[in-house]
């Protein structure tokens, strides 16, 4: 038993390292090369609009693509699943992307046919790329997971090179997303025949996809709210200012993404027991890491933003700590929610993010309209604390119920 546990820990550690390296390369290329270069090419004001449209695309990717990934992993544990279940889902989301693209462009008075086509194609491809990583997490193939994100990163770099000839920022991002899907087609099986054959659990899988998509969509909307809300309520330059102020925290917090992948992979493939005490220790450790992380990110931000975004440095300094704290809190509470997914129904995640969305509407939106940039900065810290606390309480209650049910059965 000890030998098996040691092997499990070693495998999990190795997979976590590959996951971290994958996201470090991916986010390093985006945040250290692609975005700073695009900001230099188009200027701080126009870059705010670019970030707004990238956010609209990312919301669809994180909302639906990641939902497909998580849902399929849960289905592997509890139900049957087939490529056709999720191919149909991706087709539906592609159709939904049409009105979403139109609405996003109308909101900033930038709707024209060429712009619509580029953003729509980017959105549809991005959703599929977000879903693609299920190939590696479902089968615990984290070396391929690393190579998958490396392919995406290489594509971004090539896309940045193409920008010099096209002047189109969409091509820069689109090239990377396409590279990731091509790698999955070559190395994986999720995009291979049979394409339309569905499993015996098709209805259950669709129900799971609905709950996880709704939950992820709410979470993604909040995550990208700084760009969306600031662009619509304040201005495009403010988008760039808050983005750069929170950038280091966002990069560091994104390390929770590979952690989440490893957590859900092992919790769905192995029987790892959790109880209230262990869950409470995990939650407390997460909070301590959040505070330490925010302080460290604040110090790094002074150097990072000064070098990478010197034209807006003076405007961002005042927001370094609060902006980084908000970002890290969001991702840490997401990790806690992933743990809950391993021992509860998918609809519990939807409930958490629904409460989160209500808190956002009640707190952040009014504060942004009244106070502007400071309003959204402090408002996001407040609602992310609410999300973390609510997640912890629900997790404790669910584990207590599981314990009582087990005692009653025995």
């Amino acid at each position: 038993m000890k030998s098996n546990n040691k092997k499990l820990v070693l495998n999990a550690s190795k997979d976590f390292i590959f996951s971290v390296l994958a996201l470090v390369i991916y986010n390093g290329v985006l945040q250290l090369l692609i975005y700073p270069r695009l900001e230099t090419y188009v200027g701080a004001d126009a870059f705010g609009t670019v970030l707004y449209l990238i956010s609209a695309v990312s919301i669809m990717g994180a909302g639906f693509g990641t939902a497909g990934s998580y849902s399929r992993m849960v289905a592997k544990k509890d139900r049957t699943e087939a490529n056709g279940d999720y191919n149909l889902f991706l087709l539906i989301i592609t159709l939904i992307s049409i009105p979403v693209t139109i609405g996003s462009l109308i909101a900033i008075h930038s709707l024209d046919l060429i712009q619509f086509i580029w953003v729509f194609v980017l959105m549809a491809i991005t959703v599929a790329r977000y879903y693609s990583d299920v190939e590696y997490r479902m089968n615990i193939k984290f070396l391929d997971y690393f190579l998958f994100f490396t392919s995406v990163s290489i594509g971004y770099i090539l896309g940045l090179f193409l920008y010099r000839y096209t002047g189109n920022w969409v091509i820069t991002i689109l090239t990377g997303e396409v590279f990731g899907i091509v790698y999955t087609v070559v190395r994986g099986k999720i995009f291979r025949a049979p394409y339309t054959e569905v499993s015996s659990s098709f209805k259950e899988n669709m129900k799971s996809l609905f709950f996880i998509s709704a939950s992820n969509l709410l979470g993604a909307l909040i995550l990208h709210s700084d760009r969306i809300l600031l662009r619509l309520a304040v201005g495009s330059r403010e988008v760039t200012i808050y983005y750069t102020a929170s950038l280091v925290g966002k990069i560091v917090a994104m390390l929770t993404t590979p952690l989440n992948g490893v957590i859900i992979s092992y919790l769905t493939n192995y029987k790892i027991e959790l109880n209230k005490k262990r869950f409470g220790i995990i939650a407390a450790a997460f909070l301590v890491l959040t505070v330490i992380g925010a302080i460290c990110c604040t110090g790094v931000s002074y150097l990072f933003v000064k070098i990478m975004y010197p034209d807006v440095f003076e405007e961002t300094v005042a927001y370094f700590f609060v902006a980084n704290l908000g970002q890290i809190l969001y991702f840490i509470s997401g990790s806690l929610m992933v743990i809950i997914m391993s021992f509860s129904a998918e609809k519990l995640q939807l409930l958490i993010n629904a409460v989160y969305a209500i808190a956002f509407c009640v707190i952040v939106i009014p504060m942004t309209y009244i106070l502007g940039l400071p309003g959204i900065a402090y408002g996001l810290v407040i609602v992310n604390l609410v999300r973390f606390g609510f997640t912890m309480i629900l997790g404790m209650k669910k584990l207590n119920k599981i314990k009582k049910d087990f005692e009653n059965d025995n």
Side-chain angles (χ1 to χ4, degrees):
M1 180 63 72
K2 289 184 178 179
S3 177
N4 289 336
N5 288 339
K6 183 178 180 180
K7 183 179 179 181
L8 183 62
V9 170
L10 288 174
N11 287 338
S13 299
K14 180 186 66 175
D15 291 336
F16 177 66
I17 290 172
F18 276 127
S19 297
V20 169
L21 288 175
L23 270 296
V24 165
I25 290 175
Y26 170 75
N27 286 296
V29 168
L30 268 183
Q31 310 297 349
L32 301 179
L33 179 62
I34 306 301
Y35 287 170
R37 286 294 90 201
L38 288 178
E39 194 267 349
T40 300
Y41 293 152
V42 305
D45 291 336
F47 186 59
T49 298
V50 171
L51 288 174
Y52 163 82
L53 290 172
I54 289 176
S55 291
V57 169
S58 297
I59 287 169
M60 293 294 288
F64 294 108
T66 302
S69 178
Y70 279 135
S71 176
R72 188 159 190 176
M73 292 181 67
V74 173
K76 181 187 177 183
K77 177 185 177 183
D78 300 328
R79 304 181 294 272
T80 58
E81 40 81 23
N83 288 350
D85 299 350
Y86 301 92
N87 288 340
L88 177 60
F89 173 71
L90 292 176
L91 177 60
I92 293 171
I93 302 309
T94 298
L95 296 176
I96 293 175
S97 296
I98 296 174
V100 171
T101 303
I102 293 173
S104 299
L105 292 172
I106 288 177
I108 58 172
H109 311 289
S110 185
L111 180 62
D112 65 70
L113 182 60
I114 301 301
Q115 180 89 318
F116 162 77
I117 291 173
W118 278 115
V119 176
F120 165 69
V121 170
L122 177 61
M123 189 174 291
I125 295 297
T126 299
V127 171
R129 198 273 296 168
Y130 269 76
Y131 164 70
S132 296
D133 68 16
V134 71
E135 174 69 43
Y136 317 108
R137 296 192 293 123
M138 180 172 63
N139 299 304
I140 315 185
K141 294 160 54 179
F142 284 95
L143 174 57
D144 272 315
Y145 183 82
F146 167 77
L147 295 173
F148 165 72
F149 275 104
T150 301
S151 298
V152 175
S153 303
I154 292 172
Y156 287 152
I157 295 172
L158 176 60
L160 186 64
F161 176 77
L162 294 175
Y163 179 90
R164 298 181 179 181
Y165 301 94
T166 65
N168 188 343
W169 66 268
V170 174
I171 291 178
T172 301
I173 308 300
L174 182 61
T175 306
E177 307 301 281
V178 170
F179 268 46
I181 292 177
V182 170
Y183 181 83
T184 303
V185 170
V186 173
R187 291 288 297 167
K189 297 179 180 179
I190 61 171
F191 291 130
R192 294 187 182 181
Y195 300 107
T196 59
E197 181 180 327
V198 299
S199 70
S200 58
S201 300
F202 175 72
K203 290 184 179 180
E204 291 86 349
N205 290 340
M206 288 299 106
K207 183 178 179 181
S208 169
L209 282 164
F210 169 77
F211 280 117
I212 297 179
S213 293
S215 175
N216 281 9
L217 197 58
L218 288 172
L221 281 167
I222 304 298
L223 175 62
H224 294 277
S225 61
D226 53 341
R227 305 179 195 180
I228 302 294
L229 184 57
L230 281 173
R231 177 62 179 80
L232 299 178
V234 186
S236 59
R237 188 173 185 86
E238 284 74 12
V239 177
T240 303
I241 292 170
Y242 186 79
Y243 167 77
T244 54
S246 62
L247 186 52
V248 174
K250 193 186 295 287
I251 293 172
V252 172
M254 281 180 179
L255 293 178
T256 63
T257 301
L259 176 61
N260 292 348
V262 173
I263 288 172
I264 195 70
S265 294
Y266 279 84
L267 289 178
T268 54
N269 282 278
Y270 299 94
K271 294 182 178 179
I272 300 176
E273 183 181 350
L274 280 175
N275 53 40
K276 286 176 63 177
K277 182 179 179 180
R278 290 176 182 174
F279 185 74
I281 292 173
I282 291 171
F286 279 179
L287 274 181
V288 172
L289 288 173
T290 297
V291 176
I292 294 174
I295 293 172
C296 293
C297 289
T298 299
V300 175
S301 293
Y302 278 91
L303 180 63
F304 180 82
V305 177
K306 182 71 173 179
I307 295 173
M308 304 306 297
Y309 297 92
D311 53 332
V312 294
F313 174 77
E314 295 298 332
E315 298 169 89
T316 63
V317 171
Y319 302 102
F320 281 159
F321 179 75
V322 66
N324 286 317
L325 179 62
Q327 292 298 320
I328 296 174
L329 267 174
Y330 174 86
F331 280 93
I332 287 293
S333 61
S335 295
L336 201 62
M337 189 159 55
V338 166
I339 293 174
I340 288 179
M341 282 180 62
S342 68
F343 59 81
S344 65
E346 290 92 334
K347 61 183 179 182
L348 194 63
Q349 185 187 17
L350 176 58
L351 174 62
I352 293 170
N353 277 336
V355 170
Y356 186 30
I358 292 171
F360 178 85
C361 293
V362 172
I363 298 171
V364 180
I365 294 178
M367 287 182 69
T368 303
Y369 275 96
I370 294 170
L371 301 175
L373 192 52
I376 197 169
Y378 288 97
L380 284 173
V381 171
I382 295 170
V383 296
N384 283 317
L385 280 171
V386 170
R387 184 196 196 203
F388 186 92
F390 188 60
T391 302
M392 185 174 65
I393 291 170
L394 284 185
M396 291 289 194
K397 287 186 175 181
K398 181 64 178 178
L399 286 170
N400 190 51
K401 184 178 184 300
I402 291 173
K403 180 182 178 182
K404 287 183 178 180
D405 290 343
F406 177 79
E407 291 173 349
N408 291 335
D409 291 340
N410 293 274

